Amino acid sequence: MLNHVVIHEKMRKDNKALSGDPAVADLPLGAPSPPPPATGDVASDGYNNVLRDTEGLRELGVTHYRFSISWARVLPNGNTSAPNREGLRYYRRLLERLREVGVQPVVTLYHWDLPQRLQDAYGGWTNSALADHFRDYAELCFLHFCGQVKYWITIDNPYVVAWHGYVTGRLAPGVRGGPRLGYLVAHNLLLAHAKVWHLYNTTFRPTQGGQVSIALSSHWISPRKMTNHGIKECQKSLDFVLGWFAKPIFIDGDYPENMKINLSSLLPGFTESEKKLIKGTADFFALSFGPTLSFQLLDPHVKFRQLESPSLRQLLSWIDLEYNHPQIFIVENGWFVSGTTKRDDAKYMYYLKKFIMETLKAIKLDGVHVIGYTAWSLMDGFEWHRGYSIRRGLFYVDFLSQDKKLLPKSSALFYQKLIEKNGFPLLPENQPLEGTFPCDFAWGVVDNYIQVDTTLSQFTDPNVYVWDVHHSKRLIKVDGLVTKKRKTYCVDFAAIRPQIALLLDMHVTHFRFSLDWALILPLGNQSQVNHTILHYYRCVVSELVHVNITPVVALWQPAAPHQGLPRLLAKHGAWENPHTALAFVEYARLCFKELGHHVKFWITMNEPYTRNMTYSAGHNLLKAHALAWHEYDDKFRQAQKGKISIALQADWIEPACPFSRKDKEVAERVLEFDVGWLAEPIFGSGDYPSVMRDWLNQRNNFLLPYFTEQEKKLIQGSFDFLAISHYTTILVDWEKEDPVKYNDYLEVQEMTDITWLNSPNQVAVVPWGLRKVLNWLKFKYGDIPLYIIANGIDDDPQAEQDKLREYYIQNYINEALKAYILDGINLCGYFAYSFSDRTAPQFGLYRYAANQFEPKPSLKNYRKIIDNNGFPGPETLRTFCPEEFTVCTECGFFHTRKALLAFIAFVFLAFIIFLSLIFYYSKKGRRSYK
């Protein structure tokens, strides 16, 4: 695939005449910021910097360079009788320099720069006589530049010239003449283009061997509803913009039927000879696609109430089918950033990546014949109606500087690498890895809060019923008659067994859920303990252990309506109140005492969300965790032999511009505020991250509390492992591009790579981010045992297949395997999020509807990975992992079946007595007989 850059140069110098372009004619536009020059006269000053610009091209490694010849510079009076020799010498010098650096020129004859004299004398393109003047100008260029140019573009974007130059007046020459005038201008542009093509074809092609086309701009449109009407409206929209010019040239010399039917007398007609003149006058399809037409200059009425989108691949496929599989040369494509953005133009870079990827897909997957790609533009410049309010260059230019030096942006470095690789080759680090996890690896699933259903089975009902067999056919309760109420057992909770059966079907070894503090202690202290709820939780964990599934229990997780706290604690300041930390320890002590014989894997706090947490709340939360850890360590660990830690959310933060030092600093800052805030005191120094403290102090923010030396010792090391939940990766940039998504507090712009796969809730699927965050944690805190305690993605609830989740689980676990095998991460377990849609809608491995659980396809995929303990390959050394069973002194057969054993013992005793009586009486009978 060829790679190109384009620039359009505008400057009045060396006898260049006034132009019909208001920007070039010194008409000031709005007041952008920072204050640049008022007009486009100098801009990046390409006229005086041919060597500078061509060195930029050499640096990028491009093969082609598109630029425009200014008609007003070459022919100041608009005719060939008095050409401007200095102007011709400038373009010849540029072409010679391009030849020296090995770059082929792609030259546009008319990019909206009409000599003012022709505008005044003829009314511009409203007069058909202008076509002959254009032909004469083109002939001069063909003669003067001989065979130096192999790709010629006659006119750039005739839609914009006709509609916004002569109908809306938004662009040069600024005429507001109404639709009829616009269609007349387009008519004349088509005839002018055709005359130039035939001129080159008959007179110059035999000796110069070049190709000629016209640059057509288009949008892409999708049906609002996938109906025949919606599809026809989309076709109409494309006909009114692209087809307006493409159909006469590439099909039959006439306008689209949609236009002729809908516009009636507004649309001029071609004679038969004109149709023959126009038909086939393009040697390739020159396509312009980007923000200028696609989102800024497309009139709403030509969308026909359908949905516009920047889908280059779909447009390329449509052109391929609509216009008989032409060779397509993308002669302009790109995006823009704010005029205040300097060199880290992340938004532009990711749009560029998206468009080039879509082009590659169109070539490889759709069979579209794309012969070249051109990025707009080489350097920042004056952007027509947007002036200096936006920047679209690969190189940054300070318009107010004297030397106008070109400084490569992040997009230029990205484009350079892409050209060097000729696309997007698969990188070794992105290839799937074959291998397995250790035998004791924890395979788990998460249910944030299990549904506590304390409804007992019918056998615990002490009431007596009779069956009304004659009338209602129902059980009728006998009033006043009750039996003795027996003790309840775990089997009496009807909801527990079915859930455990579903877990067994998943083949997981661990199950994580959170206790509900507010249910267990409604008042926040032990003055009122809900023993029924505690008994239910005890039954859940004991039944899990009985089937050899390890319960992983979180004491607290933030949740509505009171942050997961008892109402009274929430009312009195929640975690802002130091008393909450003491109440948490009291609650933790109760849980350790009541459930600790079955639970060997504790989480104090699960995913405290730092982004909406105050510094004082975080301070108290850390102390609460440490106090609970020490409570377990001092009083329960020896007897219960469990482990305990905290679980932190750790999404990866990636610099948006990988070449930018400032973006790397921003990414590290966000990681420290997101993860290090709670991780550093526990797993590191015992104090808050220095990055965090320094940043706040620089901004005179002294709200971050200080720990006493005693508190540091209490908190530091209060862990047995490090548990993280990880869902996605976020890009960060230091440049303020989008004020809505800019965090002024941390001076960071959050964004996403638009080429990334996204979930229905717009969560980016970035598997390699997991491996990066695991390595970052190891680098920061050493070789700590690590658990991925939650990892999952949402899906479309209407879709039967959850293929996105299958892809997500497969690739994220494979990245975890790379971290374990290749990076030496002490990874001990992986937990998929989530168990079912019941408690985490759209995230479940089980679909929940009408009180029924239905496994999704992703469950089968996850089960296969568990059964294989990873991704064994043909050459993977298979390790036999003996099945391990957890010993539970209170979960053995005899302990859990006391009632059954008593019954069996009673039956056995009765049987012995019965046999004894038979033996006694039979012996007595024999004696009597004798």
Side-chain angles (χ1 to χ4, degrees):
M1 185 175 74
L2 297 175
N3 300 273
H4 322 268
V5 179
V6 60
I7 182 174
H8 176 63
E9 173 58 33
K10 301 189 292 290
M11 180 167 179
R12 183 163 47 131
K13 192 167 183 175
D14 290 331
N15 302 316
K16 177 183 174 184
L18 284 173
S19 160
D21 177 355
V24 182
D26 296 334
L27 298 179
L29 298 185
S33 178
T39 72
D41 276 2
V42 177
S44 54
D45 197 16
Y47 185 82
N48 293 307
N49 289 282
V50 170
L51 184 64
R52 176 202 69 179
D53 296 352
T54 51
E55 280 304 308
L57 295 170
R58 190 207 295 271
E59 187 179 333
L60 286 172
V62 298
T63 60
H64 290 64
Y65 175 60
R66 181 186 168 205
F67 66 92
S68 302
I69 294 175
S70 171
W71 188 351
R73 184 191 303 283
V74 173
L75 299 176
N77 295 322
N79 58 63
T80 56
S81 61
N84 178 7
R85 298 298 172 187
E86 287 300 320
L88 289 170
R89 191 176 294 115
Y90 161 72
Y91 290 115
R92 194 183 306 115
R93 186 168 72 249
L94 174 58
L95 289 168
E96 287 171 358
R97 179 60 185 160
L98 289 174
R99 181 177 54 80
E100 289 174 11
V101 297
V103 175
Q104 278 203 49
V106 180
V107 180
T108 301
L109 291 170
Y110 177 66
H111 199 145
W112 318 346
D113 196 6
L114 186 69
Q116 189 66 44
R117 183 170 178 179
L118 295 180
Q119 183 68 38
D120 295 340
Y122 295 96
W125 289 104
T126 62
N127 195 318
S128 59
L130 209 63
D132 292 327
H133 286 281
F134 184 57
R135 181 189 179 282
D136 295 341
Y137 157 59
E139 185 174 19
L140 174 70
C141 293
F142 295 155
L143 281 167
H144 194 80
F145 303 119
C146 300
Q148 290 177 286
V149 180
K150 299 301 181 184
Y151 290 96
W152 290 97
I153 303 293
T154 57
I155 300 166
D156 183 85
N157 205 338
Y159 170 88
V160 170
V161 176
W163 197 259
H164 292 295
Y166 291 86
V167 179
T168 68
R170 293 180 65 186
L171 293 176
V175 177
R176 296 180 181 178
R180 186 182 298 276
L181 188 65
Y183 295 124
L184 176 62
V185 167
H187 202 76
N188 293 332
L189 287 169
L190 280 165
L191 290 170
H193 156 77
K195 287 182 178 183
V196 171
W197 186 90
H198 282 288
L199 168 69
Y200 189 87
N201 190 53
T202 56
T203 308
F204 297 98
R205 194 190 302 275
T207 55
Q208 296 184 6
Q211 298 184 65
V212 180
S213 189
I214 183 171
L216 302 181
S217 189
S218 185
H219 62 306
W220 179 250
I221 198 107
S222 300
R224 191 174 294 275
K225 293 183 179 179
M226 194 55 70
T227 62
N228 285 335
H229 174 75
I231 293 169
K232 287 178 181 178
E233 292 297 282
C234 288
Q235 177 72 35
K236 189 191 299 183
S237 177
L238 291 167
D239 282 345
F240 267 68
V241 179
L242 181 59
W244 187 1
F245 302 92
K247 184 174 176 289
I249 294 171
F250 289 93
I251 302 297
D252 59 6
D254 203 0
Y255 295 118
E257 287 301 313
N258 271 322
M259 293 187 74
K260 292 198 287 186
I261 292 168
N262 285 274
L263 297 175
S264 185
S265 61
L266 285 176
L267 193 66
F270 291 116
T271 65
E272 289 303 316
S273 62
E274 286 174 337
K275 290 179 183 178
K276 289 178 182 178
L277 179 75
I278 295 171
K279 180 182 176 183
T281 55
D283 301 318
F284 55 92
F285 198 112
L287 176 65
S288 173
F289 184 79
T292 301
L293 178 60
S294 301
F295 288 94
Q296 295 170 11
L297 295 178
L298 187 68
D299 271 20
H301 79 275
V302 294
K303 297 179 188 179
F304 297 101
R305 298 188 179 90
Q306 305 309 306
L307 300 175
E308 191 181 5
S309 69
S311 301
L312 178 56
R313 178 184 175 185
Q314 290 175 287
L315 177 61
L316 289 170
S317 295
W318 185 83
I319 291 170
D320 180 64
L321 296 171
E322 189 78 4
Y323 300 114
N324 299 323
H325 315 291
Q327 290 185 334
I328 302 174
F329 196 145
I330 301 170
V331 295
E332 178 185 339
N333 180 241
W335 208 250
F336 63 92
V337 292
S338 165
T340 59
T341 298
K342 292 182 171 60
R343 297 180 62 184
D344 291 332
D345 57 339
K347 185 173 90 169
Y348 178 98
M349 181 177 71
Y350 286 111
Y351 267 101
L352 190 65
K353 179 183 177 184
K354 167 188 167 68
F355 290 136
I356 297 174
M357 274 189 167
E358 289 194 353
T359 301
L360 186 61
K361 290 175 183 177
I363 295 168
K364 297 291 187 182
L365 304 179
D366 307 330
V368 181
H369 193 184
V370 182
I371 62 172
Y373 175 88
T374 308
W376 179 288
S377 63
L378 176 64
M379 68 195 82
D380 293 332
F382 189 88
E383 293 294 339
W384 304 107
H385 67 298
R386 300 293 297 272
Y388 295 102
S389 65
I390 64 170
R391 291 178 179 267
R392 296 184 64 190
L394 294 165
F395 285 86
Y396 173 78
V397 178
D398 182 352
F399 300 122
L400 299 177
S401 66
Q402 291 297 317
D403 58 1
K404 302 290 192 296
K405 187 177 179 181
L406 295 191
L407 301 173
K409 300 181 186 180
S410 292
S411 57
L413 300 175
F414 163 77
Y415 197 41
Q416 181 188 55
K417 293 290 184 185
L418 187 141
I419 293 170
E420 188 181 302
K421 296 174 182 176
N422 198 34
F424 303 92
L426 291 173
L427 300 176
E429 60 266 29
N430 291 336
Q431 300 300 306
L433 179 69
E434 293 180 347
T436 56
F437 292 96
C439 285
D440 59 350
F441 194 74
W443 291 104
V445 70
V446 180
D447 202 357
N448 280 340
Y449 287 99
I450 58 173
Q451 290 292 315
V452 177
D453 184 358
T454 56
T455 303
L456 298 173
S457 65
Q458 61 176 318
F459 302 107
T460 60
D461 188 348
N463 294 294
V464 176
Y465 299 84
V466 295
W467 195 294
D468 185 3
V469 295
H470 299 293
H471 299 97
S472 65
K473 311 292 184 183
R474 295 179 182 177
L475 288 173
I476 299 175
K477 181 176 157 184
V478 179
D479 294 331
L481 187 59
V482 294
T483 61
K484 183 179 179 182
K485 187 174 181 179
R486 68 170 176 82
K487 182 183 177 182
T488 59
Y489 298 97
C490 291
V491 291
D492 294 323
F493 294 117
I496 295 176
R497 287 293 181 86
Q499 183 165 13
I500 289 178
L502 295 173
L503 289 169
L504 287 170
D505 193 48
M506 295 178 75
H507 297 186
V508 294
T509 61
H510 290 62
F511 176 55
R512 179 175 77 76
F513 64 93
S514 299
L515 302 177
D516 193 326
W517 185 357
L519 278 180
I520 295 172
L521 299 177
L523 300 180
N525 56 53
Q526 293 194 39
S527 64
Q528 183 180 330
V529 179
N530 192 328
H531 290 285
T532 303
I533 296 296
L534 266 177
H535 179 56
Y536 185 88
Y537 282 133
R538 192 183 303 114
C539 287
V540 170
V541 295
S542 65
E543 291 295 315
L544 284 168
V545 171
H546 179 67
V547 296
N548 211 36
I549 295 176
T550 301
V552 180
V553 179
L555 293 170
W556 174 78
Q557 176 166 318
H562 304 297
Q563 304 179 43
L565 300 170
R567 188 176 61 83
L568 285 177
L569 291 180
K571 184 179 177 181
H572 289 93
W575 289 109
E576 299 281 342
N577 188 339
H579 174 73
T580 303
L582 301 176
F584 179 75
V585 179
E586 185 181 356
Y587 158 62
R589 186 185 303 117
L590 175 68
C591 294
F592 297 151
K593 179 182 176 183
E594 296 292 330
L595 307 176
H597 294 294
H598 306 294
V599 179
K600 309 302 178 186
F601 199 141
W602 290 98
I603 303 290
T604 54
M605 282 91 175
N606 185 61
E607 294 185 35
Y609 193 57
T610 54
R611 291 201 170 189
N612 61 4
M613 187 166 62
T614 65
Y615 295 127
S616 58
H619 200 70
N620 291 327
L621 192 144
L622 280 166
K623 289 192 283 187
H625 154 77
L627 289 168
W629 187 89
H630 283 284
E631 180 74 16
Y632 187 84
D633 191 55
D634 295 341
K635 299 179 182 178
F636 297 94
R637 189 189 299 277
Q638 186 174 1
Q640 297 180 2
K641 295 180 172 52
K643 53 189 174 183
I644 182 169
S645 194
I646 190 172
L648 304 176
Q649 183 167 339
D651 289 333
W652 178 241
I653 307 298
E654 178 76 3
C657 297
F659 316 100
S660 168
R661 177 184 57 81
K662 287 188 175 181
D663 276 10
K664 290 176 181 177
E665 290 174 358
V666 165
E668 186 66 23
R669 179 160 68 244
V670 176
L671 278 169
E672 291 290 9
F673 271 82
D674 279 0
V675 184
W677 179 1
L678 299 181
E680 180 65 26
I682 298 170
F683 303 97
S685 63
D687 201 354
Y688 295 116
S690 57
V691 169
M692 190 176 179
R693 179 79 68 186
D694 293 344
W695 178 261
L696 294 173
N697 288 346
Q698 287 170 20
R699 278 141 193 82
N700 296 319
N701 184 327
F702 305 107
L703 296 176
L704 187 64
Y706 286 87
F707 292 114
T708 65
E709 289 303 316
Q710 186 178 356
E711 287 172 339
K712 288 180 183 179
K713 290 178 182 178
L714 177 79
I715 295 169
Q716 186 181 23
S718 58
F719 68 90
D720 298 323
F721 53 88
L722 172 53
I724 65 161
S725 56
H726 175 89
Y727 304 100
T728 189
T729 291
I730 300 167
L731 296 177
V732 291
D733 184 21
W734 72 275
E735 295 268 22
K736 188 174 184 177
E737 180 64 35
D738 182 359
V740 175
K741 295 182 179 179
Y742 188 78
N743 183 333
D744 289 290
Y745 188 67
L746 294 180
E747 295 184 7
V748 59
Q749 178 82 61
E750 288 196 358
M751 62 194 317
T752 187
D753 181 341
I754 55 175
T755 66
W756 285 347
L757 193 62
N758 281 285
S759 73
N761 290 338
Q762 297 304 301
V763 176
V765 179
V766 194
W768 50 259
L770 174 59
R771 183 180 176 190
K772 284 199 172 188
V773 80
L774 291 172
N775 275 279
W776 184 81
L777 290 166
K778 180 183 179 182
F779 172 78
K780 292 285 294 182
Y781 308 119
D783 193 25
I784 299 172
L786 264 163
Y787 288 87
I788 301 165
I789 211 74
N791 178 239
I793 195 76
D794 59 286
D795 61 16
D796 182 357
Q798 306 303 321
E800 290 188 13
Q801 304 291 322
D802 60 339
K803 291 185 177 180
L804 178 63
R805 183 174 291 105
E806 289 186 53
Y807 173 87
Y808 183 97
I809 289 175
Q810 179 95 4
N811 286 275
Y812 272 83
I813 295 177
N814 198 261
E815 290 297 320
L817 183 68
K818 291 175 189 176
Y820 168 67
I821 293 177
L822 303 179
D823 307 330
I825 304 295
N826 187 6
L827 190 60
C828 302
Y830 173 91
F831 290 67
Y833 182 83
S834 165
F835 172 72
S836 79
D837 288 338
R838 186 179 187 182
T839 54
Q842 296 182 248
F843 281 86
L845 292 167
Y846 280 102
R847 185 176 287 108
Y848 181 79
N851 210 30
Q852 296 292 320
F853 292 92
E854 177 190 347
K856 300 179 185 178
S858 57
L859 187 149
K860 182 180 179 182
N861 185 50
Y862 184 41
R863 183 170 57 204
K864 181 181 178 182
I865 295 171
I866 294 172
D867 292 343
N868 289 326
N869 200 30
F871 306 91
E875 299 180 7
T876 304
L877 215 60
R878 296 303 293 263
T879 305
F880 174 72
C881 294
E883 189 172 358
E884 295 183 7
F885 291 92
T886 305
V887 177
C888 174
T889 56
E890 297 184 13
C891 302
F893 179 83
F894 295 104
H895 188 85
T896 58
R897 302 293 189 274
K898 290 179 179 178
L900 178 62
L901 289 174
F903 177 72
I904 292 172
F906 171 75
V907 171
F908 181 73
L909 182 62
F911 181 69
I912 294 298
I913 293 172
F914 179 70
L915 287 177
S916 300
L917 289 171
I918 292 174
F919 179 76
Y920 171 76
Y921 283 108
S922 64
K923 191 173 181 181
K924 183 179 179 182
R926 283 198 300 271
R927 283 200 303 268
S928 301
Y929 180 75
K930 289 178 180 180

